Amino acid sequence: MSVNLTVNGTKTRAARGETILSVARRLGIEIPTLCHIDGLEPNGACRICVVDVGGRLVPSCSTPVAEGMEVTTNSTAVLRARKTIVELLLAAHPSECTTCFKSDSCELARLAREYSIERIKVPRGYARRLPDSSNAAIVREPEKCILCGKCVRVCNEIQGVGAIDFARRGADTTVQPVFGRALGLTQCTFCGQCINACPTGALHEASHIDRVLAALADPAVTTVVQVAPAIRVSIGELFDMAPGSVVTGKLAAALRRVGFDRVVDTDFAADLTIMEEGSEFVKRLREGGPLPLLTSCSPGWVKFMEHNWPELLPNLSTCKSPHEMLGAVVKGCWAPEAGIDPATVFVVSVMPCTAKKYEAGRPELGDGGIGDVDAVLTTREAGRLLRLFGIDLAAMPEEDFDHPLGASTGAAAIFGRSGGVLEAALRTVHQLLTGEELASLDFETGGPGIRETTVDVAGSRVRVATASGLAAARALVERVRAGETFHMIEIMACPGGCINGGGQPYADAETARLRRSALNVVDRSMPVRRSHLNPEIAALYRNVLGRPLSEKSHELLHTTYTERTLFNA
């Protein structure tokens, strides 16, 4: 059922119950918001989206349309109210814009410019609160919080983690972890979706740029940098390239000019992961191991699992994530063969994920006190590093990764999007068991963020599923705990997968879709699209590892997990 209304003098129709904000956007009218999240119920916290309805100012995000409603989105009263709201927010905000981590993308600063706020007319003042840098992944700066609630809603409603929430009342209201504890001592998974939602610099990744610069400047250190699958279709956005631009060769050239001694590809390790994880799946399927096999490529998901379902830890694949595998191969295979002391090798991972920073510090991921990976740069940090060295990515020539450890297949490319790990694994498992190529997978929706299907593999009906985002992961795991049968489940902590990771350039749904499409194009364009056909992978097994799941491969490429309580992070 629809209603008639007028917006800025234009007559239109809208569905009953639709909000003014939704109607305005459909008409191409931009109304500013600081707290609104598409797909979630509005909470009207920031009030910056006010509009005039019959001489009364109302929040457009939470006000439904009505028959005969007359809406003005740009009256003098509306513009004055919005400007006052921004001024009040600025008055209670630190003046650190030039040094703020989010200075180039702060929504509050953008609104201040748009509303021509040159000086703040109300008394300034805010409560002094110390930053929380208690973990290796995410820094909280409570002084910069504007209480929009977006991080709380993402953590609770989209991710289903509940690591942060509102506390206290009135002027003392804050957003903080439970009992005011440090974030590093909670069930936070460090997925970074709160960072992507935050309109200011109150949340950001813990920077590893300085430690990378120190390693690059040390002549006694051999620096090796690797690039995750999703980076090549996202980092171009930081250099004014179109979303979804594939910059694989340009990025290899740019990192070489920064001064890294070796530039290798995490896609190589994605193929390696398929060899190990696919073999692990076949072994469990044949010998009766714990099923479903749950993928372990996403460190945010692994930590979520460790906190919530320790009884299912045997179901997790013991494979390290691809970038940790590659770090282990660099230090455990390549360095000794090249006559380099592994202790002098510094491995840098360029990742779309903030949780990878936490993962790199896990004591299980290394050998003899030497970690597999020494530093993790998010996509955003990698963009800053290139600019620091005066490098324009768009102007770079196309160059290849260094070999060995630079060859990859189309199966590795799709690791960067939801469903990619599962599809890549099934391509190899199906061909190794049947000698035939896997037909395209036809998934059905199994609930929000969940897709599932059944595949015939060598006469066995194999039921598989993917979950995108941790709330979807929770729903799917609970189905498993209730007795529903699956054989393999891929879970990525971030909605959409790594293309929408917590360390990626800030993006909307359309940008994420373009990144996903670009990875699929990369996959289809590759001459080899199955991990077991990667010649450098074959050489690694022939010369070092022997075979998948061998003693040597377990030593280098597999790990263990830890049961965690609420405060054992």
Side-chain angles (χ1 to χ4, degrees):
M1 193 171 180
S2 62
V3 298
N4 298 288
L5 71 156
T6 302
V7 181
N8 292 349
T10 300
K11 294 184 181 299
T12 188
R13 295 178 67 83
R16 188 175 297 276
E18 189 175 1
T19 65
I20 295 173
L21 177 64
S22 173
V23 174
R25 286 181 171 177
R26 195 171 64 250
L27 294 174
I29 300 170
E30 182 60 33
I31 297 176
T33 67
L34 285 172
C35 69
H36 182 72
I37 300 176
D38 288 338
L40 298 186
E41 288 294 318
N43 63 353
C46 71
R47 261 17 198 198
I48 195 70
C49 70
V50 293
V51 296
D52 187 313
V53 177
R56 185 168 60 96
L57 298 185
V58 299
S60 62
C61 71
S62 58
T63 302
V65 296
E67 180 66 35
M69 178 181 278
E70 294 190 5
V71 179
T72 305
T73 69
N74 54 8
S75 69
T76 300
V78 165
L79 297 180
R80 184 186 300 119
R82 292 179 187 166
K83 185 172 183 177
T84 298
I85 291 168
V86 175
E87 286 180 342
L88 289 171
L89 289 171
L90 289 171
H93 200 74
S95 300
E96 299 174 358
C97 294
T98 55
T99 56
C100 180
F101 206 88
K102 209 167 185 178
S103 59
D104 59 346
S105 55
C106 176
E107 294 178 40
L108 182 60
R110 176 180 60 80
L111 288 174
R113 292 190 296 270
E114 289 183 1
Y115 287 92
S116 301
I117 298 175
E118 299 176 357
R119 62 186 181 88
I120 300 170
K121 301 171 186 177
V122 295
R124 296 183 60 89
Y126 56 90
R128 289 284 180 181
R129 296 189 174 98
L130 295 176
D132 174 5
S133 55
S134 59
N135 64 87
I138 297 175
V139 176
R140 294 176 57 247
E141 297 195 50
E143 289 183 350
K144 298 177 182 177
C145 177
I146 60 172
L147 301 178
C148 67
K150 291 178 78 172
C151 61
V152 172
R153 303 197 72 194
V154 165
C155 188
N156 285 269
E157 298 178 47
I158 294 179
Q159 292 296 76
V161 176
I164 53 176
D165 210 331
F166 286 102
R168 306 192 185 99
R169 294 185 178 184
D172 292 328
T173 301
T174 63
V175 171
Q176 63 182 42
V178 62
F179 303 136
R181 297 178 67 92
L183 191 63
L185 299 176
T186 72
Q187 75 274 30
C188 176
T189 64
F190 309 122
C191 68
Q193 290 301 304
C194 57
I195 297 176
N196 287 354
C198 180
T200 68
L203 290 160
H204 59 82
E205 59 262 54
S207 179
H208 286 186
I209 290 179
D210 284 347
R211 67 175 72 173
V212 172
L213 292 174
L216 288 168
D218 189 342
V221 171
T222 300
T223 54
V224 180
V225 64
Q226 60 172 306
V227 181
I231 304 298
R232 65 207 68 207
V233 296
S234 61
I235 194 171
E237 297 162 27
L238 300 175
F239 295 84
D240 300 321
M241 300 173 74
S245 296
V246 180
V247 296
T248 311
K250 290 179 179 293
L251 186 54
L255 292 171
R256 203 166 275 127
R257 282 152 182 76
V258 166
F260 288 102
D261 297 306
R262 301 281 298 182
V263 182
V264 295
D265 194 358
T266 312
D267 280 21
F268 167 88
D271 282 330
L272 186 58
T273 300
I274 290 304
M275 295 302 295
E276 293 295 319
E277 197 168 72
S279 298
E280 186 179 14
F281 175 60
V282 170
K283 182 178 180 180
R284 294 190 188 192
L285 201 60
R286 286 175 168 171
E287 300 177 10
L291 293 174
L293 174 71
L294 304 171
T295 61
S296 57
C297 294
S298 171
W301 149 244
V302 170
K303 189 170 186 287
F304 192 57
M305 183 77 176
E306 290 174 324
H307 278 293
N308 291 281
W309 305 285
E311 73 278 10
L312 292 179
L313 289 178
N315 290 72
L316 268 174
S317 166
T318 61
C319 291
K320 295 178 180 178
S321 69
H323 86 117
E324 291 287 341
M325 276 196 184
L326 190 50
V329 170
V330 165
K331 294 185 179 183
C333 302
W334 173 80
E337 185 176 327
I340 300 172
D341 181 358
T344 67
V345 176
F346 192 91
V347 175
V348 179
S349 299
V350 180
M351 296 284 121
C353 174
T354 49
K356 298 288 186 186
K357 291 176 179 282
Y358 156 79
E359 180 187 35
R362 288 184 67 135
E364 305 93 341
L365 300 176
D367 181 39
I370 301 176
D372 294 332
V373 172
D374 300 285
V376 174
L377 299 178
T378 63
T379 318
R380 296 186 292 260
E381 286 179 285
R384 294 187 190 102
L385 182 69
L386 296 185
R387 291 195 183 281
L388 182 63
F389 279 80
I391 294 171
D392 180 3
L393 182 65
M396 285 291 102
E398 297 282 337
E399 294 181 3
D400 198 4
F401 290 105
D402 292 321
H403 297 280
L405 313 183
S408 64
T409 71
I414 57 175
F415 261 58
R417 50 96 167 155
S418 176
V421 177
L422 179 63
E423 182 176 341
L426 288 175
R427 284 182 191 178
T428 286
V429 168
H430 190 275
Q431 189 158 32
L432 291 179
L433 291 181
T434 68
E436 300 176 355
E437 292 187 5
L438 175 71
S440 59
L441 295 176
D442 186 16
F443 284 101
E444 297 179 356
T445 299
I450 298 172
R451 296 185 303 150
E452 54 195 68
T453 191
T454 301
V455 183
D456 191 337
V457 180
S460 297
R461 300 293 287 170
V462 176
R463 192 178 183 206
V464 298
T466 70
S468 172
L470 293 177
R474 183 185 294 277
L476 188 52
V477 171
E478 290 302 332
R479 286 170 60 185
V480 171
R481 294 180 73 226
E484 200 166 342
T485 299
F486 289 94
H487 297 93
M488 187 174 185
I489 293 176
E490 175 217 286
I491 296 179
M492 291 193 177
C494 296
C498 302
I499 54 168
N500 194 36
Q504 290 278 48
Y506 304 114
D508 56 17
E510 175 60 14
T511 297
R513 186 192 67 78
L514 291 171
R515 294 173 185 169
R516 178 188 178 92
S517 296
L519 286 179
N520 290 335
V521 170
V522 172
D523 169 32
R524 291 192 296 269
S525 68
M526 297 288 279
V528 179
R529 299 181 64 206
R530 286 159 187 78
S531 297
H532 60 281
L533 299 179
N534 182 333
E536 290 189 3
I537 292 292
L540 180 63
Y541 279 106
R542 185 171 58 249
N543 299 329
V544 181
L545 300 178
R547 58 178 175 77
L549 304 183
S550 68
E551 183 177 344
K552 184 63 175 179
S553 73
H554 267 286
E555 175 189 334
L556 281 177
L557 310 179
H558 293 253
T559 187
T560 57
Y561 309 107
T562 303
E563 178 178 350
R564 301 178 190 276
T565 64
L566 178 62
F567 300 129
N568 172 27

